[in-house]
């Protein structure tokens, strides 16, 4: 069995999760090296996990010839630069979403990937969730016929710090971007127009920072279908993640997972435990499954499941929503050929 | 459309319910007369409902030639006497369960019914519940294959007064009798042996009155299948009524109905309203459906759905359970030919 | 007990349902008279139900002094005329939705009602559904805090004949009008702007008739909240009716009712029966409950639960959606003071 | 962090699973050695997993002084021998269930464990399932009050080969033994009497081999409560594992897990995917969690969660069921002091 040598760039919370998942569940992957500008914070942890090649400069990691692929889990504003450098070094790339907050930089990445002819996968992990994937299977198997509507509910349990929001690019680029990808994934169609509605209902400080915390976006799709996404920065009952696809032959609905299925009957009511609060609990499997498919793509067994153009499209849709929200008008999307 | 003239004997709570259901939902039934030893308590109510022929002696009601059928909802110890008198008067009979607490008296009723050649239906209303009926349909349609197990959970929300329990014949004859009928209904088989376990856990006064309030009974069926019934006199969360049939090809499970299906998500948990507390809320449809079938049986369109022998069998099983509980042993049932 | 004498105008399918419900379930209502331009089609049925005063001209019915209130279930284009005549005759009015397809005529009705000082209730029956009412209770009780979003899924099992659609006023006035009222009911707020998206995906003939069959509408509410409604003329799995209200403290979701709760486990899958196909099966209770509240309103015990202004607002929203769909733009609503 | 050096004895399917789980999820455990009489079949696999000390004779493994604990996953008839030898060698022991099929041998193990003063845990993995554990928490937290009934449904998807059944000790010792432990776990009480009912309905060859394939057992508990377990060797729809505890204040019910929660609505019905078919899919977490607690017990942080006496009790109950089935009578259990 060929083992792919992986270098992980960015060893914060998500980087560590990626390392653990690669080590535990992906027998064909070997976490060979790690880099982080603050590598000293992770050194002990990396050592315990027997990762010997550690760097503070990601370029040193890229210089290791034996590395096959990198996983980029650094802050967003470095994604494009590292992706391009990795491609130029001939490494396959798994990059966290979003690839960048600007269309231009994403196109630079696409060009570099094309030139280097490497595999480039974007970390839209939700495509790999067991529930959402099952919905997609029903669509592909024709169980719901032609798709007429895609409805996505996606709410965080609590807003991030306002300081984070200020540099996040706003709700559409930071949060709903996952859901834009979900609509494209489930429908197999492109978004041709958006109308965005937003409100500041959760925390006035978010409004003062120039962002919204509640949003409903309507999307028109290239196959004539309609889609709707609703987001809130705060669902006090947990991390609310649901998808519904409706069509000419029926409907498939994915609900929230629960930590257990125990029902308690009392004199008051019938209750179950809350849905998971933390996104890592909700998407445990999805984070693993996306690496399985990454390895399959490296081996050429499957097409890259979420490629660089997918990364670009989500950003283009998010930017169109920003414009729609500002102008109060429907915004059509026109995509350059790539 | 021929209207069947019905006389209702016993105008307490259940009698009134029967009258309302017959008037509202059974267009081919006309509530023509009513009788009750304490008829003065119901007179005004009956008048408001335009029931003109009212009697304190049920024999006066039976003397009305134009009456086609009677509904008997008097105290249990009068069921047999009135049933026999009604049959002798040539009236069809719908009789509340149990027909009597002794096998002998029920056999007297069966003989009278046979001689008079009238329709005799017992008020095992649960057979007509939309959920339990659907389970039975799955069995009949072969969706679960050969029946291997029938599991019945049946619990009251709160115990009746101890004074009632003292004259009730005990838990098996008063409460579980419905469930014995359910096992026979779902399996389409006869009970050939029982083993009864009981406990006094809800209220010590029930134990002092010589009864149990918690019971698990295992039943062996003539087709080789096994069944289990559990009862409690007190389920604080409501009237718990569930049935499951398991077989060679699958399983059908009927859960509790709920007053609405709204889920409330809060910071604490996810909750729904409790199940109904009151048996009339749970079996609203069943009480109506049994009269629809009674009319169909009167018209000869269907066999009597719960006949006098069904009434007898349930009592014989209950008495066998009483014996099993006393002796701590398995009791086999032998049925006389009828 | 005072009995309110009711005259039912329009004795088609819904008129007959109203008569049955009033007779069976509303003891304080007496169906005293009925009128229909084609009264000969209903005569026998009315006779069987002991309704003696029947007319082909509704004016003759209104001329009966003893009548307290009328129920109007005629074709939409006669609602306003009859409502006004009834009010002028001093009768209280229960009028099916929509009151009219034009704002002007509804305002005429409002003026007549005001002048005559009669009770006027509109037949938005869904407010009285046991599930949706429970959601509203959670909102009113503060269980979900401030309302941030209202999401309504509302789909018919199959489209009406194209001939009907042609004269229906279009999907927004004919079908989504119920959902506009639902958003107002659940939120307790007014709609201040709408953006409508529509598509013709179910049947091309509907498109040729100038209508849409699939729609998603976003609504901005006066309290800052957002709402979304999606409609389809064809959900092959049944009459899909769901409502969700999300807020600062949680969420309440009402799902579809099912005819029974039996689960069948087989080698293939786990399945339940479909949701009801027919709106009368789904809203059985709602149709009854609305008359209970109508009687309470007549007695002055409660405010009219859905009044003439509610009827007007729904139409104004529907017309704004028509405009938004045509122009592709967000449309703000400005309401005249009444 | 102290790492406990573990030797795994028996490297068949379950042994390999244990090794994987220990390596992936239990950072404080190090799989240091492995032994199997057919070690050559596992050698390559063990090598790939970097387990260097491998033996065909378990005694060689026990001879390694640096080993802290052993995990025994050999055939049942060797459990006692190896357990005793391990204890005598001063090793802590995790032993698969059942410890032995005879009371005498289990008592020998208990004596050896006591003498050596080592930790001894039995592999009743279901106690560690996220659903059943949550039910137990509700019991411990007092949410259901005094326990009145424990109901366990436990069915395999398909029967094992008849050759296996012949040497299995029979359904009670081989299969229901898990459920006996579940009743003790959930109730916190001892079983004082059993009545067993069995049938041969799934496959006549099982009957010819002297065993049953369908069973319902009623258990009387030391706290006065009653319990019921039903087993089938064949639930064609999957591995059916449910538990319900009912008490004076309410009820907690654990249902089956499902591979995803997607509902498909079609013209036919509403369906979900089947429950897991394979016990390793159902109890994935339970198999991991039991080792977490084993390590905690080694560290002295918690009592051994399933100790040697728990292992003995389950066998004593199973043997009493065998007797009850044979005689058709209720069998009381008397436990020796240990």
């Amino acid at each position: 069995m060929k083992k792919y040598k992986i270098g992980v760039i960015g060893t914060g919370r998500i980087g560590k999760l990626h390392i653990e998942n690669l080590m535990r569940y992906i027998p064909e992957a070997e976490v060979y090296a790690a880099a982080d500008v603050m590598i000293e914070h992770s050194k002990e942890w990396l050592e315990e996990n027997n990762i010997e090649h550690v760097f503070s400069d990601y370029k040193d990691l890229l210089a290791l010839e034996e590395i096959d692929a990198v996983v980029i889990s650094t802050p967003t504003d470095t994604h494009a630069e590292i992706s391009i450098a990795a491609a130029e070094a001939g490494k396959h790339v798994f990059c966290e979403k979003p690839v960048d907050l600007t269309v231009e930089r994403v196109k630079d990445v696409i060009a570099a990937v094309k030139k280097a002819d490497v595999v480039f996968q974007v970390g839209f992990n939700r495509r790999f969730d067991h529930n959402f994937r099952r919905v997609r299977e029903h669509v592909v198997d024709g169980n719901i016929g032609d798709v007429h509507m895609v409805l996505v509910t996606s709410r965080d349990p609590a807003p991030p710090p306002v300081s984070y929001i200020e540099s996040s690019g706003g709700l559409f680029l930071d949060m709903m971007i996952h859901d834009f990808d979900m609509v494209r994934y489930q429908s197999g169609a492109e978004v041709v127009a958006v109308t965005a509605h937003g409100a500041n209902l959760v925390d006035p400080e978010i409004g003062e920072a120039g962002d919204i915390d509640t949003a409903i976006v309507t999307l028109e799709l290239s196959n004539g279908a309609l889609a709707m996404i609703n987001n809130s920065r705060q669902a006090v009952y947990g991390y609310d993640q649901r998808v519904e696809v409706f069509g000419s032959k029926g409907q498939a609905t994915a609900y929230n997972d629960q930590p257990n299925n125990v029902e308690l009957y009392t004199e008051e009511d019938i209750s179950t435990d809350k849905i998971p609060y933390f996104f890592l609990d909700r998407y445990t499997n999805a984070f693993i499954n996306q690496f399985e498919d990454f390895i399959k793509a490296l081996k050429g067994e499957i097409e890259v499941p979420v490629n660089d153009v997918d990364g670009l499209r989500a950003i283009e849709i998010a930017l169109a929503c920003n414009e729609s929200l500002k102008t109060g008008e429907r915004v059509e999307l026109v995509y350059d050929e790539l």
Side-chain angles (χ1 to χ4, degrees), chain A:
Chain A
M1 186 174 64
K2 148 101 175 140
K3 286 234 183 196
Y4 290 86
K5 288 194 164 54
I6 312 278
V8 175
I9 304 173
T11 57
R13 185 173 62 172
I14 293 290
K16 288 203 179 72
L17 175 78
H18 287 336
I19 291 171
E20 281 185 335
N21 282 333
L22 287 163
M23 291 195 311
R24 282 184 180 172
Y25 300 104
I26 314 293
E28 288 171 287
E30 179 190 349
V31 182
Y32 185 82
D36 195 292
V37 288
M38 319 247 273
I39 195 68
E40 61 277 12
H41 292 165
S42 312
K43 232 168 187 166
E44 195 183 352
W45 186 90
L46 292 164
E47 221 160 86
E48 268 174 31
N49 284 284
N50 302 317
I51 298 164
E52 287 164 32
H53 308 86
V54 300
F55 308 97
S56 58
D57 188 336
Y58 75 86
K59 286 176 200 129
D60 295 334
L61 184 151
L62 292 180
L64 293 179
E65 216 170 297
E66 60 269 40
I67 284 185
D68 298 293
V70 295
V71 168
I72 304 174
S73 42
T74 54
T76 297
D77 56 4
T78 66
H79 287 177
E81 177 196 311
I82 302 175
S83 292
I84 291 167
E88 286 172 356
K91 311 301 187 198
H92 301 295
V93 178
F94 177 98
C95 181
E96 268 306 320
K97 68 91 218 172
V99 180
D100 193 87
L101 299 184
T102 70
V103 170
E104 293 66 36
R105 288 295 279 158
V106 184
K107 287 187 175 170
D108 292 345
V109 173
I110 292 176
V113 163
K114 195 173 187 178
K115 197 173 161 204
D117 195 21
V118 292
V119 163
F120 187 88
Q121 183 172 329
V122 181
F124 282 127
N125 57 292
R126 296 183 194 176
R127 288 195 183 205
F128 303 88
D129 173 69
H130 56 303
N131 296 317
F132 300 153
R133 197 180 242 187
R134 189 73 185 96
V135 172
R136 177 61 184 156
E137 283 172 17
H138 282 310
V139 175
V140 169
D141 293 352
N143 294 336
I144 62 165
D146 298 330
V147 172
H148 289 184
M149 288 195 232
V150 179
L151 305 175
V152 178
T153 290
S154 169
R155 301 170 188 152
D156 283 350
V162 172
S163 61
Y164 171 87
I165 282 181
E166 277 163 348
S167 66
S168 70
L171 180 140
F172 297 125
L173 273 160
D174 178 57
M175 181 177 172
M176 201 182 279
I177 195 163
H178 271 293
D179 308 306
F180 299 137
D181 186 65
M182 183 56 64
V183 168
R184 292 182 69 246
Y185 169 60
Q186 293 293 353
S187 67
E190 290 298 343
V191 174
V192 298
V194 299
T195 317
H197 290 81
N200 174 223
L201 301 171
V202 172
D203 182 348
E205 283 194 39
I206 294 174
E208 284 157 25
D211 203 0
I212 54 175
D213 48 36
T214 304
I216 295 181
V217 167
T218 315
L219 308 100
E220 300 166 45
L221 306 184
S222 55
N223 60 358
L226 299 174
M228 183 279 306
I229 299 166
N230 74 76
N231 271 189
S232 172
R233 283 288 192 186
Q234 180 189 281
V236 297
Y237 53 84
Y239 187 46
D240 191 353
Q241 301 282 302
R242 287 172 285 161
V243 168
E244 180 166 306
V245 182
F246 169 81
S248 59
K249 285 189 179 172
Q251 172 180 275
T253 303
Y255 298 91
N256 285 299
D257 274 338
Q258 287 190 266
N260 63 71
N261 61 36
V262 175
E263 283 184 354
L264 179 67
Y265 293 71
T266 68
E267 256 182 307
E268 304 305 316
D269 56 24
I270 304 170
S271 64
T272 63
D273 284 345
K274 284 193 298 180
I275 58 175
Y277 192 86
F278 191 39
F279 74 98
L280 294 182
D281 294 332
R282 172 63 174 84
Y283 287 120
T284 306
N285 288 307
F287 276 103
I288 297 164
N289 297 340
Q290 68 180 352
F291 283 133
E292 280 180 1
D293 276 13
F294 182 55
I295 294 292
K296 283 187 196 155
L298 291 189
K299 294 164 74 176
E301 289 175 3
I302 59 168
E303 293 285 305
V304 183
V306 203
N307 65 22
D308 47 6
V309 177
D310 293 320
L312 176 61
R313 290 292 175 258
I315 291 152
E316 291 174 308
I317 299 167
L319 293 171
C321 285
N322 276 346
E323 192 189 330
S324 173
L325 186 70
K326 207 176 351 173
T327 62
E329 287 184 9
R330 175 175 173 274
V331 173
E332 293 191 8
L333 281 114
V334 184
Y335 300 109
D336 292 344
E337 221 156 300
L338 291 167

